[in-house]
Amino acid sequence: MTHPVRTALVGFGYAGQTFHAPLIAACPDLRLEAVVSRQAEAVVEVYPDARVLASFDDALADPAIDLIVLATPNDLHAGQAEAALAAGKAVVVDKPFTLTTDEARRLATLAEERGLVLSVFHNRRWDADFLTLKALIAEDRLGPVARFESSFNRWRPEVRDRWREGDGPGAGIWYDLGPHLIDQALVLFGRPLGVTCDLAILRSGGRATDYAHAVLRYADKRVILHADMTTPAPDARFAVHGARASWLKAGLDVQEDQLKSGLAPGAAGWGVDPRPGVVIDGATGAQDIVAGSPGAYPAYYAAVARAIRDGAPNPVPPGEAVMVMEVLEAGLLSAVRRAEVAL
């Protein structure tokens, strides 16, 4: 394949407009060939060179499409990904990969049988703070980690009328933010031994889970993952405690806000963390602000293009996304049982 990877984006809601379309358009090895959407005018206004397709089936049948990107509601992911693979297309699926582990495993097997790239958009592997934390752990700045706390909180006291906050399959914060938190933990520490999870609806009139608190048990550490929509001061992001030092981080990665503002991916200042974390030495109390690397969401789609064109490594292979689903599903079961679920 010598031409750019011709890509059809399915869905032009928040995820499609904010993340996928601009990142695809900014990647020199991809071409935003088409968008499947009922918002034809909105698509053409921003991407006049992209064709607007009326249906998902039109994208499947189009021989000009090499890659299909699914930015659709969570309950559609498995069926649409399976149809796209069956049509011979490479596929990127927005997180969560699927609703169940069985669906995820089936897709991973199909992609392998077909020899097609199937990748999951776990973009927060390329958050500035997470890249910094990976480097600190690789350099052994903290010592062996004993406790890892990762929080992704929001202040949204009013329930909004949208599918993510409804009572349908795949709604709620555990499916929305849980995959980000889980994936980052698995990248750092691998598969846990067990999962204990508390899920709740705390807002008046809420229909979907808006509070999630999970503890992942490892032999030598505990990983605490938390997400809610009820925190007026949502700044706390990471607290990582090692045998020699801690790393504390406040504030979210800026790339989502930069994309929402219309800043071109990779522009000057892209991904630069305005509030870098601090390493605190246990013995002396000395504090060292660590700026770290800027965030790098464009790296994901650049790697996807290389995987399709050149057979390079998949940036998020389906096997890793299956493990995320195993932990997510164990969390759901744990919340029902009010007990740890072993993996």
Side-chain angles (χ1 to χ4, degrees):
M1 184 186 298
T2 56
H3 56 76
V5 177
R6 298 165 299 189
T7 304
L9 172 62
V10 184
F12 203 63
Y14 182 79
Q17 289 186 46
T18 304
F19 290 99
H20 296 282
L23 291 171
I24 293 165
C27 180
D29 292 324
L30 297 178
R31 171 181 166 80
L32 186 58
E33 181 76 22
V35 178
V36 178
S37 175
R38 289 172 291 187
Q39 304 179 68
E41 292 182 3
V43 174
V44 171
E45 182 179 351
V46 187
Y47 303 103
D49 294 332
R51 293 181 286 126
V52 180
L53 302 180
S55 73
F56 176 60
D57 288 342
D58 289 343
L60 295 183
D62 192 333
I65 302 301
D66 307 307
L67 167 66
I68 286 183
V69 175
L70 299 175
T72 51
N74 298 345
D75 60 331
L76 299 180
H77 289 181
Q80 289 181 334
E82 184 171 4
L85 291 168
K89 312 294 188 184
V91 182
V92 165
V93 186
D94 196 46
K95 60 79 204 164
F97 187 11
T98 55
L99 295 189
T100 69
T101 303
D102 285 345
E103 291 173 338
R105 290 190 182 120
R106 186 170 70 246
L107 291 177
T109 299
L110 180 59
E112 184 176 6
E113 291 173 350
R114 290 274 183 157
L116 294 167
V117 171
L118 169 63
S119 190
V120 179
F121 187 64
H122 282 302
N123 58 301
R124 292 195 175 272
R125 294 187 183 192
W126 291 270
D127 279 3
D129 49 20
F130 186 68
L131 294 174
T132 299
L133 176 58
K134 279 182 65 180
L136 289 172
I137 291 175
E139 296 162 6
D140 198 27
R141 286 281 303 276
L142 309 180
V145 173
R147 178 160 54 97
F148 173 91
E149 299 184 25
S150 176
S151 300
F152 199 147
N153 302 320
R154 290 169 168 162
W155 172 235
R156 292 182 180 168
E158 302 299 327
V159 177
R160 296 195 287 180
D161 184 17
R162 58 180 194 148
W163 69 263
R164 293 182 190 278
E165 297 183 48
D167 55 6
I173 204 166
W174 186 234
Y175 273 104
D176 185 21
L177 300 182
H180 289 316
L181 300 172
I182 295 166
D183 182 65
Q184 288 183 335
L186 297 184
V187 167
L188 292 175
F189 306 119
R191 184 189 185 91
L193 300 173
V195 180
T196 304
C197 189
D198 179 28
L199 303 177
I201 300 173
L202 298 183
R203 295 178 299 170
S204 176
R207 295 184 296 154
T209 297
D210 54 22
Y211 171 97
H213 189 89
V215 179
L216 278 52
R217 177 174 60 86
Y218 293 80
D220 60 348
K221 67 179 63 68
R222 294 295 182 267
V223 168
I224 300 162
L225 309 178
H226 184 90
D228 68 47
M229 303 178 78
T230 60
T231 301
D235 268 359
R237 181 64 185 93
F238 286 107
V240 184
H241 306 287
R244 290 192 300 276
S246 294
W247 181 70
L248 305 179
K249 176 68 178 73
L252 286 176
D253 181 89
V254 298
Q255 292 174 93
E256 180 173 357
D257 284 342
Q258 289 179 329
L259 287 165
K260 284 161 59 175
S261 74
L263 186 68
W270 179 266
V272 175
D273 194 339
R275 303 169 66 185
V278 58
V279 172
I280 303 173
D281 184 80
T284 67
Q287 299 191 10
D288 181 21
I289 296 174
V290 182
S293 303
Y297 288 175
Y300 172 79
Y301 269 114
V304 166
R306 290 193 298 270
I308 295 170
R309 293 178 60 170
D310 308 321
N314 185 337
V316 185
E320 294 177 5
V322 167
M323 194 184 303
V324 173
M325 292 306 306
E326 290 175 344
V327 174
L328 188 146
E329 202 165 47
L332 294 173
L333 185 57
S334 169
V336 172
R337 292 180 177 175
R338 297 294 178 191
E340 181 184 87
V341 172
L343 290 176

